Amino acid sequence: MLKVLMQIGVIVAGLGGMTYAHGQQMTEMFIPVGQSPGVSDKSSLIGTIDSMDEKNRTVTVSAQSGAQTVGLTNRTKIWLDRSLLKAPNQLGTSADLQKGRKIEVKLEQGERKQVAEWVKVQLTEPGAGPGAAAK
Amino acid sequence: MRKVVQCDRSPQPVAVAVGVTIVVAMATFSACQTPPRPPSDLIAKGKNLFFNETFKGNGRTCGTCHRAEANLSINPAFIATLPPNDPLFVAEFNPDLKKNFENPKLMRQFALILENLDGFEDLEKQFVMRGVPHVLSLRTSVNSPQGPRTGWSGDGAPGDGSLRAFATGAVIQHFPKTLNRVAGVDFRLPTAEELDALEAFQLSLGRQQDVTLPLPLKGIVPKRGQEIFLDNSLGKCNLCHSNAGATANLGGGNIGNANFNTGVETLPDQPADLTGELVPPDDGFGKPGDGTFNTPPLVEAADTGPFFHNNAIETIEGAVAFYDGESFNNSPAGRTLAAADPEGVGIELDGTQIVAIAAFLRVMNALENIRQSIELLEASAQKRFMERQQAKELLKRAITETGDSIRVLKGGGLHPQAVAHLKKAKELAEDAACSIFSRHRLTEQAIEEQKNARNELVESSPARS
């Protein structure tokens, strides 16, 4: 029985059938903070940025439930939500994670440590753009 | 609306049937059963949104590409019937969407739609061209143990990746007034209530459960096709399309809906490529993609071509033949099948066997069309005199469905006697739709003709005759 199951496992893996079924969310960047279906109303962290630790690549978010520190990785997508400015959303960088800005964080699933899958930063100041703080 | 199955009746008990095997096999072609469906008013709201709501965008609705008259998909022949101002062609008449939104040439010739599945940073070069999958029998195909799988590569939805969230991504990709895609300016996003309704509607479409094979088919060629389909050492189709559906059973039980790299992208002479238009490679699931695409159900295949994510193959026979070719057999999926085969063979079929499998799929499709037609006709027959407009609408849908079953069988040179019954059923339904006083009688006669057609395709059980 074990042999059969192992063989099936090999076949399934070879065929690609076990791919985790949610990896591509390119339209997500155009969804404003707090409106991601099935995420914003359930599992994401929404609050304001308390601080950004560039060295340790973490951002601390002040949310209703209290302050929470989240790790950023090279995989973490950072998007700038400019919909309140009626401007197109853009890719951002960690330099855009400025204190006081509204932020939404989707945490990666299955991670022991809290790591962000994506981060949306709401921009309300005209002229603000990708990496503006660094300029 | 085509392929919408309103099942307001209580499930019909089938256990009383004499031929248990036959009745179980036929059950999914004859009765609406589990699971429980959402309230009909939510489905009706979703239907209205699906076909009429533009979300303050460029004029498109979900139904612009998932056409009610074209099996909730779209194909070049249908596109050719549309007026130039149809919202499908918005890239041809809206200056803001003229560049990098669609490729009108590929849309008109091959029904291909542009998608920015790997991001929106380089609109000139970073896109894929995909066909429009039908949205039938989603209840049987969208879920997997690894999570929901939506769209051709199983990862089409933003948010939580669910079918419910899919509409949000579709609005952003396909509905914007400009390529800025600013929410609240170029479109509005669906509300939570609208997403609920859209999901309920989509889940109500088509089959609500999988068929149980084998069916007691009558035709020699379709019957042989079914045998080859189910033969895990010959056709091997049933491994990934269990019971001609969208779930895989590799020998240790059903593992649900899955993604596979079957090598479609490596097919030579793909029609879109032959045009000389830029068609970037489609790397499937994820970014960067892993080359896998989602398994669609096959019961609805024969009348919903062209086939595969890139509409590379026009006919169901060609789609089956693909699995006998080098592209499949050299793909990860083909090589894995070969590795598990005692003789090291992936899939090797001859011309007659390919046609036999296609004939089987044509018959499966026709049976599903007949099932739906009978449901629609029965629902129409229950409408009273004052509800004749609704009755007429149901009859129209049954007529479209019947037209499909005729086309699917005739296209394979199959079951001429069944085709004759279906033609008669169609005529009767057309007459019923125009009749004020004989509607019930004509509809009942049309139902009988549908049953006669079905009896030409499968052995009937005493309980169903």
Side-chain angles (χ1 to χ4, degrees), chain A residues 8 11-12 14-28 30-32 35-39 83 86-88 91 106, chain B residues 117 119-121 146-149 154-155 157-161 169 172 180-182 189 250 252 259-260 284-286 290 333 336:
Chain A
I8 290 164
I11 292 171
V12 172
L15 291 171
M18 299 304 278
T19 312
Y20 176 58
H22 189 212
Q24 184 169 288
Q25 308 182 324
M26 289 307 122
T27 51
E28 184 71 50
F30 297 103
I31 303 174
Q35 294 183 41
S36 184
V39 173
S83 56
K86 300 196 182 304
L91 290 173
K106 186 188 178 196
Chain B
L117 290 174
F120 294 82
E121 293 88 57
Q146 295 81 43
R149 295 185 187 273
D155 56 358
D160 60 3
I172 293 167
N180 288 334
R181 291 187 163 92
V182 180
L189 292 176
L250 304 171
N259 269 31
F260 300 109
F285 179 91
D290 64 5
T336 307

Side-chain angles (χ1 to χ4, degrees), chain A residues 103-121:
Chain A
I103 186 172
E104 178 173 12
V105 181
K106 186 188 178 196
L107 300 171
E108 282 192 359
Q109 287 183 11
E111 292 283 331
R112 259 194 312 169
K113 205 175 102 182
Q114 292 214 303
V115 171
E117 179 185 321
W118 55 251
V119 169
K120 291 177 188 172
V121 190

Side-chain angles (χ1 to χ4, degrees), chain B residues 273-413:
Chain B
D273 291 339
L274 298 175
T275 63
E277 296 288 307
L278 175 63
V279 184
D282 189 337
D283 60 6
F285 179 91
K287 182 190 175 184
D290 64 5
T292 69
F293 291 88
N294 194 229
T295 310
L298 295 187
V299 170
E300 295 81 4
D303 66 2
T304 55
F307 299 94
F308 303 114
H309 65 272
N310 50 8
N311 283 355
I313 293 180
E314 180 65 28
T315 64
I316 188 75
E317 283 73 17
V320 176
F322 160 77
Y323 293 94
D324 178 53
E326 286 189 16
S327 296
F328 174 75
N329 282 296
N330 290 330
S331 73
R335 287 199 304 268
T336 307
L337 283 185
D341 186 281
E343 293 173 24
V345 175
I347 294 179
E348 197 176 297
L349 299 166
D350 244 313
T352 44
Q353 296 170 317
I354 288 166
V355 169
I357 294 173
F360 161 62
L361 294 176
R362 284 179 181 275
V363 169
M364 291 287 287
N365 200 128
L367 283 168
E368 170 62 7
N369 290 338
I370 290 169
R371 182 190 73 79
Q372 293 199 35
S373 298
I374 291 173
E375 271 196 2
L376 291 162
L377 291 166
E378 285 176 345
S380 172
Q382 285 169 10
K383 298 292 176 194
R384 297 173 184 201
F385 185 78
M386 297 304 286
E387 301 171 307
R388 59 187 181 279
Q389 208 41 46
Q390 293 166 50
K392 199 172 169 180
E393 178 61 27
L394 290 163
L395 284 166
K396 272 186 183 173
R397 286 163 51 194
I399 291 163
T400 308
E401 204 68 48
T402 309
D404 275 354
S405 48
I406 293 169
R407 212 166 21 255
V408 160
L409 291 175
K410 275 183 79 175

Side-chain angles (χ1 to χ4, degrees), chain B residues 30-179:
Chain B
S30 61
C32 288
Q33 295 182 354
T34 55
R37 310 181 84 177
S40 57
D41 55 344
L42 188 65
I43 294 173
K45 183 183 171 189
K47 178 183 172 184
N48 185 45
L49 288 166
F50 193 91
F51 290 110
N52 299 316
E53 181 57 59
T54 62
F55 294 99
K56 295 187 176 174
N58 59 32
R60 287 176 166 183
T61 68
C62 304
T64 299
C65 290
H66 297 281
R67 293 311 263 239
E69 316 92 305
N71 289 318
L72 297 159
S73 175
I74 204 161
N75 59 70
F78 181 81
I79 288 173
T81 68
L82 297 173
N85 63 348
D86 189 279
L88 181 69
F89 307 126
V90 68
E92 295 179 17
F93 54 76
N94 180 338
D96 290 323
L97 300 174
K98 202 173 170 69
K99 277 189 73 182
N100 303 326
F101 183 64
E102 295 286 7
N103 180 324
K105 188 174 173 181
L106 295 179
M107 173 184 282
R108 286 185 179 273
Q109 274 191 269
F110 305 113
L112 290 171
I113 304 292
L114 189 148
E115 309 240 16
N116 302 97
L117 290 174
D118 280 341
F120 294 82
E121 293 88 57
D122 183 358
L123 296 178
E124 288 273 348
K125 294 178 188 154
Q126 199 176 32
F127 60 88
V128 296
M129 301 301 302
R130 289 186 175 180
V132 178
H134 67 75
V135 286
L136 297 163
S137 66
L138 282 170
R139 192 178 286 284
T140 71
S141 65
V142 80
N143 291 320
S144 81
Q146 295 81 43
R149 295 185 187 273
T150 59
W152 278 116
S153 43
D155 56 358
D160 60 3
S162 63
L163 177 64
R164 181 179 175 276
F166 190 87
T168 297
V171 166
I172 293 167
Q173 175 72 59
H174 303 296
F175 289 34
K177 287 177 187 163
T178 77
L179 298 184

Side-chain angles (χ1 to χ4, degrees), chain B residues 161-219:
Chain B
S162 63
L163 177 64
R164 181 179 175 276
F166 190 87
T168 297
V171 166
I172 293 167
Q173 175 72 59
H174 303 296
F175 289 34
K177 287 177 187 163
T178 77
L179 298 184
N180 288 334
R181 291 187 163 92
V182 180
V185 176
D186 293 304
F187 49 77
R188 73 167 180 84
L189 292 176
T191 64
E193 292 74 24
E194 287 172 331
L195 292 177
D196 289 341
L198 282 163
E199 181 190 44
F201 169 65
Q202 289 175 85
L203 287 174
S204 78
L205 297 167
R207 291 177 298 120
Q208 298 297 295
Q209 60 183 353
D210 272 326
V211 180
T212 304
L213 297 179
L215 295 181
L217 299 180
K218 279 186 170 175

